[in-house]
Amino acid sequence: MSAGQVFVVSAPSGAGKSTVVAALRARQPELGYSVSLTTRAPRPGEVDGEHYHFVTRDDFLDRVRAGEMVEHAEVFGNLYGTSAKVVAQSLETGRDILLEIDVAGAAQIKKRFPQAVLVFLLPPSRAELERRLRGRGTEDEATIGLRLKGAARELEQAGHFTHLVINDQVERAVDDLAAIVRAEGLRLARTWESLRGAWGV
Ligand code: ADP
Ligand code: 5GP
């Protein structure tokens, strides 16, 4: 059995990452997904264990010390991280797994899994990002300002990514992301084993 692949999707806050990833997962439920741990308070409507595992700062830091996190980062004052066990289990069973994480976390994943596919998602313009952040209505003005500054910083690091998807129309962005996942599944190294028996080679 061939190993699964790690897909990372990063984007400035408000770019539409959650929207696009949720639509992709609805379309491709077989794609594995890692629910992150965070010390951030839940937003209205967020469900523990579904959107995030909401934990205390002490609990989070204990897990980091115990080596339970494959990557972690502090984003806008809160800690976020990915369980090493969840990723390892997925890859061992040949299942692809998608991580929705920030650019610092993406760099850690790239180090750990050099073959990982890193997708950067961007709205068509800065003005559109600002409109979406305001439209979501989940952050106050000061936080929106911080997130716009953070977006500029993240953009400077986007050169490390392997793919860029523009989230203009959600459906189009989901098509693009699905195409990237599909193309990875067609790599010779992954398809070859399944053909060997039929071809007697
Ligand atoms: P992120 O997870 O990147 O922080 P969200 O998925 O929460 O961003 O999206 C931010 C806001 O932008 C939400 O209100 C969402 O409905 C909206 N949005 C997402 N994608 C698009 C798009 N392609 N066109 C217009 N609005 C969008
Ligand atoms: P939000 O608080 O808006 O849900 O997420 C804020 C930022 O944290 C986003 O850029 C998101 O991608 C990032 N994030 C979410 N989960 C993780 C994670 O497990 N690891 C890292 N490094 N970043 C994460």
Side-chain angles (χ1 to χ4, degrees):
M1 182 175 44
S2 68
Q5 175 61 292
V6 183
F7 295 90
V8 170
V9 179
S10 299
S13 178
K17 182 168 28 76
S18 313
T19 306
V20 170
V21 168
L24 177 74
R25 291 177 62 205
R27 206 194 269 189
Q28 290 183 210
E30 73 285 0
L31 183 63
Y33 180 75
S34 160
V35 177
S36 296
L37 280 87
T38 185
T39 61
R40 162 167 88 57
R43 295 190 184 122
E46 282 185 335
V47 178
D48 188 31
E50 193 181 312
H51 297 90
Y52 283 105
H53 297 290
F54 296 99
V55 297
T56 64
R57 208 171 172 92
D58 284 347
D59 184 0
F60 191 102
L61 292 173
D62 281 347
R63 289 167 191 264
V64 171
R65 278 190 285 269
E68 289 179 26
M69 316 299 286
V70 68
E71 64 76 30
H72 72 282
E74 179 137 11
V75 188
F76 307 122
N78 296 301
L79 293 165
Y80 295 84
T82 304
S83 156
K85 198 160 121 191
V86 168
V87 175
Q89 277 173 352
S90 195
L91 298 185
E92 278 160 18
T93 55
R95 193 174 184 212
D96 289 338
I97 189 161
L98 191 145
L99 315 179
E100 202 186 317
I101 63 179
D102 85 318
V103 291
Q108 295 169 47
I109 291 293
K110 184 80 185 172
K111 257 196 193 149
R112 191 79 172 257
F113 304 101
Q115 82 290 0
V117 173
L118 270 58
V119 183
F120 200 69
L121 186 79
L122 265 186
S125 67
R126 185 187 188 280
E128 177 59 19
L129 175 63
E130 194 166 348
R131 254 193 303 279
R132 287 183 195 172
L133 272 173
R134 285 188 207 291
R136 189 165 67 183
T138 50
E139 284 92 14
D140 58 28
E141 273 307 306
T143 310
I144 288 175
L146 274 179
R147 296 205 167 203
L148 285 172
K149 277 205 188 105
R153 259 199 319 276
E154 284 170 342
L155 213 69
E156 285 165 12
Q157 296 164 47
H160 301 298
F161 283 70
T162 55
H163 296 75
L164 175 67
V165 169
I166 304 296
N167 177 22
D168 190 350
Q169 303 290 325
V170 173
E171 277 308 302
R172 180 66 198 268
V174 177
D175 284 348
D176 287 350
L177 206 48
I180 292 166
V181 173
R182 180 154 169 72
E184 277 301 306
L186 295 173
R187 281 188 185 274
L188 188 85
R190 296 190 66 174
T191 48
W192 187 242
E193 281 303 319
S194 61
L195 273 178
R196 287 179 77 108
W199 281 85
V201 289

